[in-house]
Amino acid sequence: RSSDLPGQERRNLFGLHLSPSESPTSAVKSPDKKRGSWLSDLKLGGDRRKPSAEGEGEKDGEGETTSPVAQGGQVSKKLSFSKPTKGGRRESQPETSPPHTDPKPPTTVTIPEALSVLEIHTLIKRRELVLADGHIAELEEESERLIRACEGGGEGGTETKDCGRKAKDVSLLYQALEAEAWLMVSESLEETGRKGDLEQVVRVIELEEEADKKRVSQGEMPDPGPNPNPNTNLPRQLRKKWRDAVKASVSERVSRSLGHTEDIGGQRLAVLQELMVKDLVRLRDTLAPAYPREYEAFGLYVSCYHQEASACLSQAVSPNLNISQLFTCLDWAHNVYSREVLGHPELAAHVRRHQLGSLLPEDTLRSLEERSVSMVKDDVTSRINQALDSERETWTEERKECHSDLANRVIEILREHVEMSASITEELALRIAQCCLSCLNHFLLRYQDAVCQYYQRCAERAGSPGWFVPQTVSLVNSCPVFRDYTQRLAQKVSSDTEEETRRALGCLSDIERDGHKLLLDHLFHELKPLFGKLIRKKWLQSNEGFESLVSVIHNHFTLLHKMNPPPYQALVDEVHRRVVAEYLKALLHTRLICRSGEMRSKVATRLSEEATRLTELFEGLGSLASWLDSAIEHLAEIIRMKDVPSIQLEVGMLFSNYPDVRRGHVTAVLAVRGGLGGAQGAVLDTVRELEAGADPPPRDHALFAQIGRAH
């Protein structure tokens, strides 16, 4: 503090005039006035306006008790007893003499002078709030006395100025006291916050509330009720201001903690989550016990943090969010906040959730969910169409691989949204799944169009080398992957999309069927001339034609076996069926006729050997069409049999295994056998009877029906 200068007007720290007794120098620096008033020994549970009579002074050398202030050479005054006045103030009472006893030397007790404004302000800055509050009360009492005197007209102009100055000093000191108290409340949230500071704040609040009650009870102030006049300083409503201070301190702490976080979505919420858990656990364990139970301090802090979380989340769900950030915000609102913050093991039992309400209004949540569905639709449609366009650029003659990751890329885009929404709410998960299924269904229609155009270009060049085989295999391979995911997605949604899904699955079946047809046509275009070399005279002399046929099939399947299991199985079974059918066709359409029993035996043996080779070939390729294995063998046995009854029996077995056999087929094989003459009629009569009682075979077991009749 600067010392007083001659001729310079003295002012206090608020810029007001100071009386000589209020000089900062004399109040603080004077060696004659010791720091520490009798108010420093106030008991927190006692009357804030009544100084303690215990321990206020010490005996001097003459047996008189003096205050610490009086020890510095100040003028001693006799202790006067006071009685309470209105507003909790006390006024001096006339001294009363005790009953007559043995004469003793009169005892004088000194009363310390009231502290100056500057000294009180120093106490506030030292955070001796209870002590400072008591001294402010003394100054306020003096101010009220002057006001009453001024209103009664008993004072002059100087006293009127003193009256206004003291009232202003009291107001400013109370403002400083409250500001320091609320600063202590704010700082308590920091790691260095102390429980003792809060206990001082609570005691000041209680003292002021007691004073307000006394003012009301003594008629000095009307009962403010639940809505006090905000234009008056009384009552001071410190508890309400404390609540406001708690709210402001929480808001400032959250704002400061999130200020360095640039991300407006998940990162900010993660920082807020960590901050809330850490602060609330510390508040519950360390700071909340500083407040009386009726303050419900922990509940107030939880409510304030909840409001900040709500504000942070409202700010986070801005229009600039991408779909991933929006899902994160929705998940935080629906699940994470409740589970990780309010449901934290150290907080759950102490949080009254029903008093907090939802983080976001229900209509806001519904709006965000609608927005998320729309964003998912736009995002998925754009990304999967881009994936298809990029894939089509690789459908060239240079393609050598039989694998494409298109299906996996498309499904990953869909799965990303489906799985993220599934962790939020069942309702949102259902809507996102339905949206993704609809997008996938439309994509598959577009995918089929692109594949059909490709197949058409390939079909126009069917006779050229099979450059398109690897790409066709990769296209067919994508169908099981798409089908499996489409069916699983369809199980999650309502039946509204059944028809749309059925069409999409039909597209995949068409892609597989058309792909098989393209590959089969390519294979049999190469096999056709080889079948033409079978069942001829040279065929009996050399098996070169048959071995070439087996070799071509093997070579084609070096690529075809890279097809995924479901479509591959259908392909290899169909190749097996068509090879057997073409072989039978070659036999039934041949001009070869057995002229002797030896020739019949040789032809039948050769047919049996090649039938066995075909069975072994397709077993090795994985064919499950074993029902085809006996067809060639039955015809070989008809040629081999020597008597009509045996032939009739074999024809009956042929009809039993292949109900689509007709008279023309049997007539053709009998022609190759030769030598029956008139007995052939008996065999054909058997065929006629069998035809009459035969049921048509299942479509997937038709064989002879696709073989034209030679005769």
Side-chain angles (χ1 to χ4, degrees):
R1 301 183 182 86
S2 60
S3 59
D4 297 332
L5 299 176
Q8 190 174 26
E9 190 177 32
R10 295 180 180 177
R11 295 179 179 270
N12 64 12
L13 77 163
F14 302 114
L16 302 175
H17 293 284
L18 291 172
S19 62
S21 64
E22 293 175 331
S23 167
T25 305
S26 61
V28 179
K29 290 190 175 182
S30 172
D32 295 330
K33 181 178 288 187
K34 292 186 178 180
R35 184 83 55 190
S37 163
W38 46 267
L39 283 172
S40 64
D41 294 325
L42 276 175
K43 295 181 179 179
L44 295 183
D47 189 345
R48 58 166 282 192
R49 312 302 183 185
K50 181 178 180 181
S52 172
E54 299 178 5
E56 293 180 358
E58 59 185 6
K59 289 186 179 181
D60 59 15
E62 299 178 3
E64 292 184 337
T65 302
T66 60
S67 70
V69 177
Q71 293 175 14
Q74 299 294 322
V75 178
S76 299
K77 298 181 181 179
K78 289 186 177 180
L79 176 65
S80 65
F81 296 92
S82 60
K83 64 180 180 179
T85 63
K86 294 181 179 180
R89 310 302 180 194
R90 296 183 178 272
E91 62 183 10
S92 299
Q93 298 183 14
E95 296 184 11
T96 57
S97 300
H100 179 71
T101 57
D102 294 336
K104 292 182 179 180
T107 301
T108 60
V109 181
T110 59
I111 298 178
E113 293 183 6
L115 296 185
S116 69
V117 172
L118 184 57
E119 288 176 310
I120 297 172
H121 190 266
T122 301
L123 289 178
I124 293 173
K125 290 304 179 184
R126 290 177 181 172
R127 297 195 166 177
E128 300 180 39
L129 300 190
V130 176
L131 191 58
D133 184 60
H135 284 294
I136 297 173
E138 288 183 343
L139 189 61
E140 184 179 29
E141 182 178 335
E142 176 65 17
S143 173
E144 290 174 353
R145 185 190 67 76
L146 288 175
I147 290 173
R148 289 194 296 271
C150 290
E151 290 175 349
E155 303 288 350
T158 303
E159 287 73 11
T160 301
K161 291 182 180 180
D162 288 344
C163 174
R165 177 179 56 78
K166 287 185 177 293
K168 187 171 183 180
D169 285 348
V170 169
S171 176
L172 293 174
L173 285 171
Y174 269 122
Q175 291 177 23
L177 178 72
E178 291 178 12
E180 196 66 30
W182 310 148
L183 181 60
M184 292 163 69
V185 168
S186 177
E187 291 176 353
S188 68
L189 290 176
E190 306 296 334
E191 294 293 338
T192 57
R194 298 179 300 175
K195 177 182 176 182
D197 289 345
L198 298 180
E199 290 174 342
Q200 277 206 80
V201 172
V202 170
R203 184 59 185 144
V204 169
I205 293 173
E206 291 178 341
L207 290 173
E208 290 299 330
E209 287 181 341
E210 290 173 6
D212 288 340
K213 290 178 182 178
K214 289 180 180 179
R215 289 189 185 96
V216 172
S217 65
Q218 296 176 8
E220 294 184 4
M221 180 182 71
D223 188 349
N227 298 308
N229 185 353
N231 297 321
T232 63
N233 291 327
L234 298 174
R236 292 195 169 86
Q237 309 174 68
L238 290 194
R239 193 176 303 198
K240 178 181 180 300
K241 294 178 180 178
W242 164 74
R243 293 191 187 95
D244 294 339
V246 168
K247 182 177 181 180
S249 63
V250 170
S251 177
E252 192 276 334
R253 177 163 172 77
V254 170
S255 177
R256 186 173 65 253
S257 299
L258 299 181
H260 65 281
T261 307
E262 297 181 359
D263 177 44
I264 61 176
Q267 186 179 352
R268 285 176 64 86
L269 295 176
V271 172
L272 177 62
Q273 173 185 330
E274 181 181 358
L275 175 71
M276 288 184 67
V277 171
K278 180 180 69 175
D279 283 3
L280 291 177
V281 169
R282 180 170 170 272
L283 281 163
R284 188 209 63 181
D285 294 341
T286 307
L287 302 181
Y291 295 97
R293 182 185 298 271
E294 62 270 17
Y295 277 58
E296 297 183 341
F298 183 70
L300 175 62
Y301 275 101
V302 171
S303 177
C304 291
Y305 273 101
H306 179 79
Q307 292 174 20
E308 288 302 313
S310 177
C312 180
L313 188 59
S314 298
Q315 180 184 4
V317 290
S318 68
N320 299 326
L321 291 183
N322 59 40
I323 184 60
S324 177
Q325 292 170 326
L326 182 55
F327 274 151
T328 298
C329 292
L330 284 171
D331 187 36
W332 210 81
H334 282 293
N335 304 303
V336 175
Y337 178 71
S338 177
R339 181 180 65 246
E340 304 296 337
V341 180
L342 302 184
H344 189 275
E346 297 186 59
L347 299 174
H350 307 276
V351 175
R352 300 175 183 176
R353 298 193 182 202
H354 63 280
Q355 296 180 352
L356 298 177
S358 175
L359 273 179
L360 294 175
E362 195 66 25
D363 57 343
T364 301
L365 287 173
R366 296 284 80 80
S367 174
L368 291 175
E369 290 173 1
E370 290 287 346
R371 178 174 150 199
S372 69
V373 172
S374 177
M375 291 178 68
V376 165
K377 181 179 180 180
D378 294 342
D379 180 69
V380 166
T381 301
S382 173
R383 291 169 66 188
I384 62 179
N385 285 339
Q386 288 177 5
L388 177 57
D389 293 341
S390 175
E391 178 72 12
R392 293 182 68 176
E393 294 177 359
T394 67
W395 297 355
T396 63
E397 295 187 16
E398 290 75 23
R399 180 73 176 258
K400 302 299 181 183
E401 298 179 358
C402 295
H403 173 73
S404 168
D405 65 347
L406 174 65
N408 291 330
R409 280 185 289 154
V410 169
I411 290 172
E412 187 59 33
I413 292 170
L414 298 169
R415 184 185 289 119
E416 173 187 336
H417 297 304
V418 172
E419 292 182 352
M420 288 181 66
S421 63
S423 65
I424 301 175
T425 66
E426 290 185 6
E427 179 184 355
L428 181 61
L430 175 63
R431 296 187 62 189
I432 295 298
Q434 193 156 0
C435 173
C436 288
L437 178 60
S438 179
C439 291
L440 178 57
N441 290 338
H442 284 89
F443 168 81
L444 292 178
L445 294 174
R446 186 168 180 259
Y447 181 57
Q448 183 196 19
D449 290 341
V451 172
C452 286
Q453 293 176 20
Y454 175 77
Y455 285 168
Q456 186 175 359
R457 293 198 307 270
C458 296
E460 293 171 355
R461 303 172 61 182
S464 62
W467 56 269
F468 56 83
V469 173
Q471 179 59 52
T472 302
V473 170
S474 72
L475 292 173
V476 173
N477 278 343
S478 68
C479 294
V481 184
F482 278 129
R483 180 181 291 107
D484 178 68
Y485 189 74
T486 301
Q487 291 173 337
R488 286 192 286 117
L489 204 55
Q491 293 174 357
K492 300 176 181 289
V493 304
S494 63
S495 59
D496 297 341
T497 58
E498 281 186 1
E499 184 59 33
E500 187 179 81
T501 302
R502 190 178 298 110
R503 288 199 304 270
L505 294 176
C507 290
L508 296 175
S509 298
D510 290 345
I511 291 173
E512 289 177 332
R513 185 193 66 240
D514 294 344
H516 285 168
K517 183 178 183 302
L518 182 65
L519 296 172
L520 287 168
D521 289 348
H522 177 64
L523 170 61
F524 282 90
H525 179 82
E526 190 171 348
L527 291 178
K528 185 176 180 179
L530 299 177
F531 281 114
K533 295 180 180 181
L534 301 180
I535 324 300
R536 301 190 180 274
K537 290 182 179 181
K538 291 184 178 181
W539 166 72
L540 285 173
Q541 301 170 1
S542 171
N543 62 355
E544 181 182 350
F546 182 80
E547 292 301 328
S548 297
L549 184 145
V550 171
S551 177
V552 169
I553 294 173
H554 263 300
N555 291 338
H556 272 260
F557 271 88
T558 57
L559 287 177
L560 297 180
H561 84 277
K562 296 181 180 180
M563 191 176 291
N564 287 340
Y568 175 80
Q569 192 63 61
L571 176 66
V572 71
D573 289 351
E574 180 62 15
V575 171
H576 189 178
R577 189 194 66 80
R578 286 189 61 175
V579 166
V580 171
E582 290 295 326
Y583 191 98
L584 292 174
K585 185 178 179 181
L587 173 59
L588 298 178
H589 287 214
T590 185
R591 295 183 178 275
L592 179 67
I593 300 175
C594 297
R595 304 287 182 181
S596 64
E598 181 183 357
M599 187 175 181
R600 283 191 289 271
S601 177
K602 189 175 182 179
V603 169
T605 300
R606 186 65 177 274
L607 290 174
S608 296
E609 290 175 351
E610 293 184 352
T612 301
R613 285 288 309 279
L614 290 177
T615 297
E616 293 173 350
L617 169 65
F618 284 103
E619 281 182 353
L621 296 177
S623 172
L624 299 179
S626 58
W627 61 277
L628 296 167
D629 295 341
S630 63
I632 300 174
E633 186 62 34
H634 281 309
L635 300 188
E637 288 300 315
I638 290 173
I639 294 173
R640 181 181 289 114
M641 293 299 173
K642 297 180 179 180
D643 58 279
V644 172
S646 297
I647 294 174
Q648 288 175 321
L649 180 62
E650 192 65 35
V651 169
M653 294 179 64
L654 177 64
F655 264 89
S656 176
N657 291 332
Y658 303 96
D660 58 341
V661 171
R662 291 298 176 260
R663 182 179 178 181
H665 301 126
V666 176
T667 301
V669 74
L670 291 177
V672 174
R673 182 189 184 279
L676 281 179
Q680 182 171 326
V683 176
L684 295 178
D685 289 340
T686 302
V687 172
R688 190 178 298 110
E689 293 174 3
L690 293 172
E691 282 182 332
D695 295 325
R699 185 176 180 180
D700 59 345
H701 275 53
L703 177 61
F704 285 89
Q706 299 180 11
I707 301 174
R709 303 175 188 181
H711 302 285

